[in-house]
Amino acid sequence: METLMFRKMVLLVLIMVIMMGNIANSKLHNVGGSRISWNPNVNFIQWSIHQHFHVADWLYFGYGEKYYSVLEVNKTSYKKCVDTGFIKNVTGGAGRDVFELKEAKTYYFMSGGGFCWQGLKVVIKVIQHVAPPPQHVSSESKSASDFCQVNQTLVMLILVFIWGILFK
Ligand SMILES: *[C@@H]1O[C@H](CO)[C@@H](O)[C@H](O)[C@H]1NC(C)=O
Ligand SMILES: *[C@@H]1O[C@H](CO)[C@@H](O)[C@H](O)[C@H]1NC(C)=O
Ligand SMILES: *[C@@H]1O[C@H](CO)[C@@H](O)[C@H](O)[C@H]1NC(C)=O
């Protein structure tokens, strides 16, 4: 009975470590720099210059004005502040919108309601997490970085396998 408890504990710790690794890998960016900075008074170009957006990161749009919104649009619509034919309406209604950056590409966001004309729009350039260049890494550290990049499917399979051994 006690061994079973111990085994469960070990498994729980393993799962937690893996999940923490996952969270540490993706970042949440407050658009504009703070929790409530989705508004026309913020210089979004200045803000985004100093940010590094990676695949699997998240954006947070926080605002108190109920007439603001968050629309994902294409480059043309971004430039011309066109709020029809958008790609995605990210607006949830509570002034706390989140968006996952799933691809390495340039995303364009703007507010509807005419606020885009006042500057409520932002460009987000997303890049892939880069692996260290192979020629500059010793074979030891290279295998370590390879190990860190083992994919999640594999990790889950290993977990299920361990689970099977412990609880058969
Ligand atoms: C961008 O979206 C607008 C609005 O839907 C559309 O009219 C336009 O053709 C699109 N432009 C490109 C390059 O996809
Ligand atoms: C986007 O969604 C919000 C909340 O559902 C809605 O109030 C708003 O009118 C939508 N915006 C557009 C341009 O459709
Ligand atoms: C992850 O590993 C599984 C099993 O080895 C493999 O089938 C899958 O293609 C891998 N996925 C990626 C993204 O490497």
Side-chain angles (χ1 to χ4, degrees):
M1 197 60 204
E2 229 168 299
T3 348
L4 193 66
M5 279 286 283
F6 176 72
R7 286 170 176 180
K8 279 187 177 168
M9 287 282 284
V10 169
L11 201 69
L12 204 71
V13 169
L14 256 175
I15 291 171
M16 278 170 70
V17 165
I18 287 162
M19 285 175 74
M20 276 158 68
N22 258 353
I23 292 163
N25 224 357
S26 73
K27 198 180 161 191
L28 179 72
H29 304 266
N30 294 319
V31 177
S34 82
R35 295 295 278 183
I36 45 154
S37 47
W38 183 238
N39 66 69
N41 305 321
V42 172
N43 185 337
F44 292 102
I45 293 166
Q46 191 63 32
W47 168 76
S48 63
I49 277 171
H50 302 288
Q51 300 292 311
H52 298 285
F53 304 102
H54 293 111
V55 173
D57 283 1
W58 289 77
L59 297 179
Y60 177 90
F61 298 84
Y63 48 100
E65 170 58 72
K66 65 175 179 174
Y67 298 109
Y68 296 167
S69 60
V70 182
L71 304 171
E72 186 201 349
V73 296
N74 66 22
K75 190 177 181 178
T76 321
S77 297
Y78 168 86
K79 281 185 174 167
K80 297 181 176 172
C81 286
V82 177
D83 66 0
T84 54
F86 47 81
I87 299 167
K88 190 183 179 188
N89 186 350
V90 185
T91 320
R96 293 188 295 270
D97 301 330
V98 287
F99 185 93
E100 187 184 6
L101 302 168
K102 289 181 180 163
E103 290 174 61
K105 65 168 193 180
T106 304
Y107 288 87
Y108 301 88
F109 298 94
M110 56 168 270
S111 174
F115 298 102
C116 177
W117 297 107
Q118 296 173 27
L120 195 46
K121 57 175 178 174
V122 68
V123 180
I124 307 284
K125 285 183 186 140
V126 180
I127 57 165
Q128 203 69 247
H129 274 286
V130 276
Q135 65 268 31
H136 298 307
V137 233
S138 73
S139 64
E140 231 171 83
S141 61
K142 187 179 186 306
S143 61
S145 77
D146 280 351
F147 178 75
C148 289
Q149 284 166 13
V150 165
N151 79 48
Q152 293 304 311
T153 319
L154 210 61
V155 170
M156 280 318 289
L157 284 174
I158 291 167
L159 266 183
V160 169
F161 180 72
I162 293 171
W163 184 280
I165 290 173
L166 293 181
F167 301 105
K168 68 177 172 195

